Amino acid sequence: MPQAPDRFSQLGELAANWQQLVQSQIAQAAHRPSDIQIPDPRSVQRAFEALWRVVLERPEPMLQAQWAFWQSYAELAQASWRHFWFGEDLPNTPVVDKRFKDELWVSNQVFAFVKEAYLLASRHLQEGVAGVDGLDDKTTQQVAFYTRQFVDALAPTNFLATNPAAIKATLESGGENLIRGFGHLLDDLHRNGGRLMPRMTDLDAFKPGENIAITPGKVVYENALMQLIQYAPTTEKVHKVPLLIVPPWINKFYILDLKPKNSLIAWLVGQGYTVFVISWVNPDASLRDKGFENYMLEGPLAALDAIEAATGEKAVNAAAYCIGGTLLSATLAYMATGRDKRYPAKRIASATLFTTMLDFSAPGELGVFIDEAQIAGIEAYMDEHGVLEGHQMAGVFNLLRENDLIWSFVVNNYLLGREPMPFDLLYWNCDSTRMPAAMHGFYLRKMYLENALVRPGGVTLNGVPIDLRLIDTPAYFISAREDHIAPWTSTYAGARLFGGKVRFVLGGSGHIAGIVNPPAANKYGYATNPDLPTTPDAWLAGSTAHEGSWWVDWDQWLTPYRGKPVAARQPGEGGLAAIEDAPGRYVKARISAAAEP
C-alpha cells in the first residue's frame, strides 16, 4: 500500500508522456515525408488473393486440412479433459523453441493446453497453405512467409494474459514491470519517430573506437564513398602482398572487429598481413546518384591505387563480405576484360568471398520481397528521397528471424519491463545504414529481379559489359550452412561461374557467426571438397568435415599469394599520410531514427 501513490504518480506521468507523444506525432505527420512499408501490404494482399482463388477453384485439399485440424484439436481437448479429471499426462509436443522455456508451459495444465493448442493451430495453418497446389513458386513462398509472420505474431508468449513469465513478473512486482514496459514503449516510439521498433540492446553501451572496433590503425585515404584504413602491424615482418577487405555497405565493417577475441581484422594482423579495410560512408540524399559502378570505381579500384601509394605494391589479396563480395566479383570481371589498362586482372592476386551471392535465382527468403511491383515501389520512394532509409533495410532482415529479432524484445522490454542486455553484435545490428537510390535500384533490379550478373554481358559497369566466366583469379568461397541471407546452395552456384581455380568451403552456423568464428573458440567446424560438382548436394556428399575455424584453412590457402616476408609497414609512414585514427569518422556516423521519414 505505501507504494500505491508512487505507482499512481508513475502512471500519471506515463499517461502525460503518451498524450504528449501522440500530439507531437500528429503535429509532425503533416510535415513528415511519405514512408514505404516493406513488405508492401499490397504484395501481401495479392499473395493471399491468389491463394484463395486457387482454394475456391479446388477446395478439397483445404477442407481436408481443416478436417484434420479439428480432429487433432478434438484429440487435444479430450486429452486435456482426461488430464484434468484423471491426472493423465497431457501430450507435450517436443519443440526446441525458446519462447516456451518457462517450466509452467509444461507443469501448469492451463498453460500447457494453451501452448499445445497454439502449436497445433500454427502447424496446421502453415501446412495447410503449403499444401495448396496451383500457385507459382514465388506466390507459394510469399504465402508461406506471410503466414509464418502471422502465426508468430499471435504466439501466446506475446500477450500478458497468456505468458506465465509475464504474469509472474506482474504479481511479484505489483505491476512495476508493466509500468516500466510502457515507459520503454514510449521511449521506442519517440526515438523512432512513431515507428514501433523495440530496442535490442543498450544503445549507449558501445562506441566504435572505444570498446568496439579498437584494432589500432590509421585512415590513410578517403573519398565521398569510403575511407581506407591501414592497420598497425603487430609482427616485425609482414607478408609482401597487402590484404584488402571490402565489407558490405549494408551495416558497417566493424562486424569484423567487434572485440579483440573475435576480431578477424586483429587476427589477420597477427598472422603478418598488412590489412587495409574499406569503411563505407553512411550516405545521405546528396549521394543519391552514386551507382553500383561508382562503388566499384571509388571503392576497391580506388583502394588499389591508395594501397600502391602507401606500400609500393601494385597487387593485393582481396577479401569481401556479402554484397561487398558481389561488388568484388563484378570488379574482377571488369578487370578481366582488359579494357581499363589501369587495372589489369593481376592487380588482385587472389579473391576471397564471404557468404557472397552471384547467382540470385534462389535468394532464399529475401526473394519474398523481390517482384516488379515491390521494387517499383522502392524505386519510387528512393526517387523522392534519394536513399532507402536504414530502418527499412533493418526491418527486412529482422523479419527473416522475427522471433529472435522482434518478438523476443517485445516480451522482454514491454511485458517483463526489463532493459535489453548490452550486446556488441546487436549494437552492430542496430547501427543501420542508408542505401543511395542509384546503387540500390541497380542492385535490386539487376541482381535480384533480373539475375543479370550470371549472363555474359548482362551487367555493364563504366561502359564495359562484364562476364564472370572471364575471371581466372584464384578464388576462395566461404559460405555458412545455416545462412538465411545468402543460402549456401546459392553461393555455391555462383562459385561455379568463375573461370579460374576455385576452393569452396562450407562453415557452420549462419551469416554472421559462420564468418566471425575465431580459432580460439573451436566452434562450428567447416567442410571442404577439392572438386566443384554440378550440384551443392553432390559437393556436400563428397566433402570432408574438419573441426575448428575456417580462418586457419584460409590462411593456409593464401600462402602462395602473400609473398615473401618484408619489414613491417606503419600506417602513415609510407606514401600516404595518416588522416585520422581508426576506425575513422565515417563509421561513427549514426542515423537518428526519429529524423528519418
Side-chain angles (χ1 to χ4, degrees):
M1 290 299 293
Q3 296 181 350
D6 291 336
R7 293 200 185 110
F8 284 127
S9 176
Q10 287 177 305
L11 287 172
E13 183 178 348
L14 288 172
N17 290 342
W18 173 260
Q19 183 179 18
Q20 183 179 6
L21 177 65
V22 170
Q23 289 173 343
S24 68
Q25 290 302 314
I26 292 173
Q28 294 172 21
H31 306 288
R32 182 181 294 142
S34 60
D35 201 354
I36 186 173
Q37 291 179 285
I38 305 175
D40 186 343
R42 291 169 295 185
S43 173
V44 180
Q45 178 183 343
R46 286 191 296 267
F48 281 100
E49 284 177 351
L51 172 71
W52 285 111
R53 280 196 298 269
V54 171
V55 168
L56 291 175
E57 290 171 0
R58 293 184 61 248
E60 295 86 359
M62 185 62 75
L63 291 174
Q64 290 172 353
Q66 290 184 348
W67 175 248
F69 166 73
W70 286 113
Q71 281 184 311
S72 298
Y73 192 85
E75 291 171 0
L76 175 61
Q78 189 177 39
S80 299
W81 186 257
R82 289 197 302 268
H83 173 69
F84 179 78
W85 286 106
F86 306 115
E88 296 181 13
D89 290 338
L90 189 68
N92 180 38
T93 303
V95 290
V96 182
D97 192 329
K98 292 181 290 186
R99 295 177 296 178
F100 300 104
K101 64 183 179 181
D102 192 289
E103 58 89 18
L104 284 175
W105 287 114
V106 176
S107 62
N108 182 281
Q109 60 186 11
V110 174
F111 289 120
F113 176 78
V114 168
K115 181 194 76 172
E116 293 299 324
Y118 165 75
L119 292 174
L120 176 67
S122 172
R123 184 175 68 253
H124 275 275
L125 267 173
Q126 294 185 79
E127 290 177 352
V129 298
V132 174
D133 293 325
L135 295 174
D136 61 76
D137 291 343
K138 169 69 72 174
T139 305
T140 298
Q141 183 188 39
Q142 289 178 327
V143 166
F145 181 82
Y146 299 144
T147 301
R148 194 188 80 207
Q149 300 299 322
F150 172 76
V151 299
D152 284 342
L154 292 182
T157 48
N158 298 336
F159 301 91
L160 174 63
T162 50
N163 185 323
I167 292 173
K168 283 192 294 185
T170 303
L171 294 175
E172 290 171 359
S173 69
E176 288 285 348
N177 60 306
L178 300 181
I179 294 175
R180 290 193 302 270
F182 190 54
H184 293 161
L185 173 64
L186 292 180
D187 290 342
D188 289 340
L189 290 171
H190 178 73
R191 186 180 64 257
N192 297 309
R195 291 181 294 272
L196 182 55
M197 297 172 61
R199 190 161 46 101
M200 297 181 183
T201 187
D202 183 349
L203 298 177
D204 297 320
F206 303 99
K207 289 186 179 179
E210 295 185 11
N211 54 1
I212 52 176
I214 60 172
T215 300
K218 302 286 185 183
V219 174
V220 295
Y221 172 83
E222 67 182 37
N223 59 33
L225 281 180
M226 65 92 166
Q227 289 187 312
L228 184 66
I229 302 169
Q230 179 182 354
Y231 286 91
T234 58
T235 55
E236 291 185 3
K237 297 286 187 178
V238 296
H239 306 303
K240 184 174 186 291
V241 180
L243 177 65
L244 169 65
I245 297 179
V246 184
W249 50 91
I250 300 171
N251 289 103
K252 297 179 180 178
F253 83 87
Y254 65 82
I255 185 61
L256 301 176
D257 191 28
L258 281 177
K259 50 194 173 187
K261 71 176 184 179
N262 66 358
S263 169
L264 176 58
I265 292 172
W267 186 83
L268 288 167
V269 170
Q271 302 307 115
Y273 293 93
T274 302
V275 178
F276 290 83
V277 174
I278 289 175
S279 174
W280 298 104
V281 74
N282 196 346
D284 58 22
S286 68
L287 298 176
R288 63 184 303 145
D289 295 325
K290 293 289 187 181
F292 197 81
E293 67 180 29
N294 295 109
Y295 273 74
M296 176 186 74
L297 295 169
E298 300 175 47
L301 293 184
L304 286 179
D305 292 337
I307 292 170
E308 181 182 4
T311 67
E313 295 296 325
K314 280 186 171 293
V316 304
N317 291 303
Y321 198 168
C322 192
I323 188 176
T326 308
L327 176 66
L328 177 60
S329 299
T331 303
L332 291 169
Y334 173 82
M335 298 169 73
T337 66
R339 295 271 294 273
D340 193 332
K341 304 304 181 184
R342 299 169 300 168
Y343 303 107
K346 64 182 181 181
R347 292 195 66 181
I348 295 182
S350 74
T352 300
L353 303 168
F354 308 161
T355 61
T356 293
M357 283 206 302
L358 303 175
D359 183 336
F360 289 78
S361 58
E365 287 193 327
L366 283 176
V368 167
F369 308 98
I370 304 298
D371 56 50
E372 177 60 41
Q374 291 192 85
I375 288 181
I378 294 172
E379 288 173 331
Y381 176 88
M382 293 191 299
D383 285 344
E384 180 182 354
H385 300 284
V387 294
L388 187 69
E389 295 292 346
H391 74 269
Q392 293 156 343
M393 285 296 299
V396 168
F397 290 113
N398 290 346
L399 284 173
L400 301 182
R401 295 176 55 199
E402 65 281 1
N403 285 326
D404 289 335
L405 297 179
I406 300 175
W407 298 113
S408 66
F409 297 106
V410 168
V411 172
N412 181 80
N413 301 6
Y414 304 155
L415 296 186
L416 300 180
R418 297 172 181 166
E419 292 286 342
M421 295 290 292
F423 189 14
D424 52 7
L425 179 59
L426 288 177
Y427 177 88
W428 169 84
N429 188 65
C430 296
D431 196 2
S432 56
T433 55
R434 305 180 188 91
M435 302 291 111
M439 182 285 301
H440 202 58
F442 179 95
Y443 179 64
L444 290 178
R445 188 165 289 279
K446 285 294 183 180
M447 309 302 177
Y448 277 97
L449 187 63
E450 299 177 11
N451 196 22
L453 192 58
V454 303
R455 301 196 305 269
V459 169
T460 296
L461 297 175
N462 198 31
V464 178
I466 63 172
D467 182 358
L468 296 178
R469 291 156 188 82
L470 298 179
I471 300 171
D472 62 2
T473 304
Y476 184 106
F477 280 74
I478 170 67
S479 296
R481 191 183 296 260
E482 300 168 20
D483 195 334
H484 61 289
I485 294 173
W488 82 267
T489 51
S490 295
T491 64
Y492 181 80
R496 299 188 74 251
L497 294 173
F498 279 23
K501 186 178 180 181
V502 172
R503 178 174 178 81
F504 187 87
V505 177
L506 182 62
S509 197
H511 193 73
I512 302 301
I515 299 302
V516 184
N517 183 25
N522 196 30
K523 294 170 64 176
Y524 307 132
Y526 60 97
T528 61
N529 186 337
D531 301 319
L532 286 178
T534 305
T535 67
D537 289 339
W539 182 93
L540 188 62
S543 68
T544 301
H546 307 272
E547 293 184 356
S549 171
W550 66 270
W551 293 10
V552 177
D553 181 77
W554 178 39
D555 182 43
Q556 293 172 349
W557 179 86
L558 280 171
T559 300
Y561 313 112
R562 61 194 185 191
K564 63 183 181 181
V566 298
R569 307 171 177 112
Q570 294 296 331
E573 294 183 3
L576 292 178
I579 297 173
E580 60 181 326
D581 290 336
R585 67 187 185 282
Y586 279 19
V587 77
K588 295 178 182 178
R590 286 184 60 86
I591 294 174
S592 173
E596 291 185 7

